[in-house]
Structure formats: structure tokens, C-alpha cells
Amino acid sequence: MPRSNAALVGLILAAASWGLGTVVSKRAVAEVPPLTLLSVQLAASVAVLTLFARLRRRTAPRPAAPAALARLGLLNPGLAYALALIGLTQITASLSVLLWAVEPVLVLALAAVVLRERVGPAFLGLSIAAVAGMLLVLYEPGTSGSLVGIAVSLAGVACCAVYTVATRHRLAGAEGTLEVVIAQQAYALLFALAALAAVQVVAPPASPLSASVSGWVSAVVSGILYYGLAYVLYLDGLRQMAAASAAVSFYLIPV
């Protein structure tokens, strides 16, 4: 399969993983506090990816990810998804998905300014049509949420858009996509644990020990899907395609 086709398939599968992971995360966040959930999800993802990387290194050793690229994990999935999960407790799932529809548009604008990617009128027109289609399909009269929840969610969306452009700019200098994802999510996990510790001191959330077995299983499975599989597929596609083109795959997530 040509590399461009393989990248496209990978981006579609990444969107599918994010879509399924969102559904399972919504199940988990009903029982597990947001920052606790993020920590569990990232820990599950890092553990599975590290195990896979060690098995692969027996036949194909790979260098560690560049430090500057690894630290972008503090932005996404660290800060971005901490904000997203907190926002999800204040707004409906439908409104959350509508707000995340803004991300590809932000990536398109940032890629044009920062990466000097050329955006033709056909690409721009189809992107607008995609956003309009999402609004038509996902809008519900009951879609609602607090202004704080909307603002927090949009801040998370902005973090993800900046992450995509910054990662695309630096990704060419990294040899292994898997190593990049592990390094970034290790930083994100440290961020989540630090934020969780701070919250425990200031305003302790409800005890996660009251969560059911299915709630914990949902947390682990959503972490492997949403952060492990999806990010490896997405960064591999981002390595081979323009940032604006790769971000178009986000429109498939609600489907």
C-alpha cells in the first residue's frame, strides 16, 4: 500500500479510536472524577505502549524522542484533556462534540500562518461544509451547558490545535512515532498526577473508590483506545501529511 494511502487509513482508524474512546470515557467520567480518570487513562496507555515498545526493540532498537517534542505532551494530552474532562462535567456530550468541531478549523488557520501550508479554496469550502454537516447532524434542542464548561472545553480545543501544529513542525526530527507518543504521554501523566495532587489539597473530589468495576474497566479501556492507539495512528499520519489535511480526519470522530 502506498505511504499516502496507509497514512489516510491510519488517520481514519485514529478517528474511530477517538470516537469509541469518547463514548467509553463518558461512561467512566460518570463514576470517576475527571483528573483521576485522566491519570488512570494515561497510565494504562503508557503501560501498554511501553510493553509493546520493549517487545519491538528486541528486533528493531529505536532512539528516544527529542526532549522538546516529548514536552509537548504537557500541552496535549496533559492540559488539553484535563480541561476537556472537566468541561465534560459541565456540558452535554452533544455540545462537547460540537465544540470540538472547531479544532480542525483552528489547525487549518494555525498551519497556514505557522507552517506556511497552502490552503486552497476547494479545501476551505469542503471544510466549511464538513462543519455545517456536523452541526446539522449533532445539534439537539436539549444541547446545553454552563458558560464555564463551554469556556473550559474551548480552551482544551485550542491546546489540541496548537499541539498538532507544533508537533508537525518538530516530528520530522524524530525517528520513531511510538517513542514520541510514549514520551509525550509520560509527561502528560506527570502533569495529571500533579494536578490531581493539587486538587486533593484544595478541594478533594468524590472518592473514586466508590466507582464500580465497570467504571474502572471503562477508564482503562478508554485510555488504551483514546490515548494509546489513537495517538500512535494520528502521529504516524501527521508525519506523512500536512497538518491541515491530517486534522480533517477529526470530522469522522462523531460518526
Side-chain angles (χ1 to χ4, degrees):
M1 181 183 293
R3 287 180 63 84
S4 58
N5 291 342
L8 183 60
V9 171
L11 289 170
I12 292 171
L13 292 175
S17 299
W18 272 317
L20 293 172
T22 297
V23 176
V24 183
S25 291
K26 184 61 178 176
R27 166 68 184 83
V29 81
E31 296 188 44
V32 183
L35 289 175
T36 302
L37 174 60
L38 181 61
S39 300
V40 172
Q41 289 175 321
L42 287 170
S45 174
V46 170
V48 171
L49 292 180
T50 300
L51 177 60
F52 183 77
R54 286 183 176 178
L55 292 174
R56 196 178 67 166
R57 285 194 194 107
R58 294 178 181 178
T59 56
R62 296 294 185 93
L69 187 58
R71 284 193 291 269
L72 286 173
L74 294 170
L75 183 64
N76 179 32
L79 178 60
Y81 283 98
L83 293 171
L85 287 172
I86 292 170
L88 193 58
T89 65
Q90 303 293 319
I91 62 177
T92 62
S94 296
L95 180 55
S96 176
V97 174
L98 290 175
L99 294 175
W100 280 93
V102 177
E103 184 182 356
V105 179
L106 289 178
V107 171
L108 189 153
L110 286 172
V113 174
V114 178
L115 302 179
R116 298 291 189 267
E117 292 183 4
R118 299 176 66 88
V119 179
F123 186 89
L124 182 61
L126 290 172
S127 296
I128 294 172
V131 173
M134 288 180 64
L135 292 174
L136 287 172
V137 171
L138 294 171
Y139 176 76
E140 297 176 2
T143 298
S144 62
S146 69
L147 290 178
V148 173
I150 292 172
V152 169
S153 297
L154 285 175
V157 172
C159 289
C160 283
V162 172
Y163 164 85
T164 288
V165 174
T167 298
R168 179 66 181 85
H169 179 65
R170 297 177 180 273
L171 197 55
E175 185 174 332
T177 300
L178 181 60
E179 286 70 23
V180 171
V181 175
I182 293 171
Q184 288 185 342
Q185 293 191 6
Y187 271 99
L189 178 58
L190 291 175
F191 172 87
L193 292 173
L196 180 59
V199 169
Q200 290 287 349
V201 172
V202 177
S207 173
L209 296 178
S210 60
S212 66
V213 173
S214 61
W216 286 113
V217 171
S218 297
V220 172
V221 171
S222 62
I224 295 170
L225 278 173
Y226 203 99
Y227 297 105
L229 182 60
Y231 271 80
V232 171
L233 291 169
Y234 178 65
L235 289 197
D236 197 53
L238 186 63
R239 182 189 293 275
Q240 303 173 53
M241 299 179 68
S245 298
V248 170
S249 63
F250 297 157
Y251 294 127
L252 295 173
I253 295 174
V255 180

